[in-house]
Amino acid sequence: FPLHAHETLFSTRHGLFLWHPVYLLGVLGLLAPGPRRLRWVAGIVIAGAALFYGTRSFWWGGHSFGNRYFVGLGFFFAVGLANGAAWLRAKCGRPWPVWGLTAILLIWNAALLLLYVTRTIPQADAVSPGVLLLAPVHAVKVLTVL
């Protein structure tokens, strides 16, 4: 009975939060004050999915961009994102921190997608943490060659 729940979320081999950090913000947003029942349901569903997918023989999602198993849980991550964004906007009194953070995460994810599609990074194996962290820099290098 293999259990790779933590790897499903944090591995450099298609770990959900390292390949799609916006999902991590969705989970963190569940911790912000807001409608309690909906936050609890979303948290339980996400945790249950991580435990379930961690028992699969291909817990990393195989040859997919990121961990494809979590695609159907978008609503539950959106609950946390909306809750966290509302809290951040109320704290700051302005919308620009939310939009700025959103732009950074979109650029990061688009850069990883470019590296994946051009096969600059392996499609089924682990990727070095440095490449994941500096994906936009590596993507610019790939774009200059294309």
Side-chain angles (χ1 to χ4, degrees):
F1 188 69
L3 186 57
H4 301 276
H6 65 288
E7 292 168 303
T8 301
L9 300 174
F10 295 104
S11 173
T12 58
R13 186 178 193 182
H14 301 265
L16 183 70
F17 296 150
L18 295 181
W19 280 69
H20 309 289
V22 71
Y23 285 130
L24 179 59
L25 284 183
V27 170
L28 293 175
L30 294 174
L31 302 175
R36 184 174 293 169
R37 183 173 299 159
L38 192 55
R39 290 185 301 128
W40 271 98
V41 168
I44 289 169
V45 168
I46 292 168
L51 288 171
F52 174 73
Y53 297 140
T55 64
R56 301 184 59 113
S57 59
F58 286 92
W59 55 264
W60 60 91
H63 291 282
S64 64
F65 176 68
N67 199 318
R68 67 177 174 215
Y69 297 136
F70 289 89
V71 170
L73 300 178
F75 168 79
F76 300 103
F77 289 104
V79 167
L81 285 170
N83 193 55
W87 176 81
L88 184 61
R89 184 171 176 160
K91 279 291 201 194
C92 296
R94 299 167 197 235
W96 66 265
V98 173
W99 288 109
L101 189 56
T102 302
I104 290 168
L105 294 175
L106 285 174
I107 290 168
W108 186 355
N109 212 0
L112 276 171
L113 181 60
L114 176 70
L115 296 175
Y116 179 84
V117 169
T118 59
R119 296 181 186 258
T120 306
I121 57 176
Q123 294 188 337
D125 295 323
V127 177
S128 74
V131 171
L132 287 172
L133 185 62
L134 299 173
V137 173
H138 293 289
V140 168
K141 291 178 186 176
V142 168
L143 286 174
T144 59
V145 173
L146 296 176

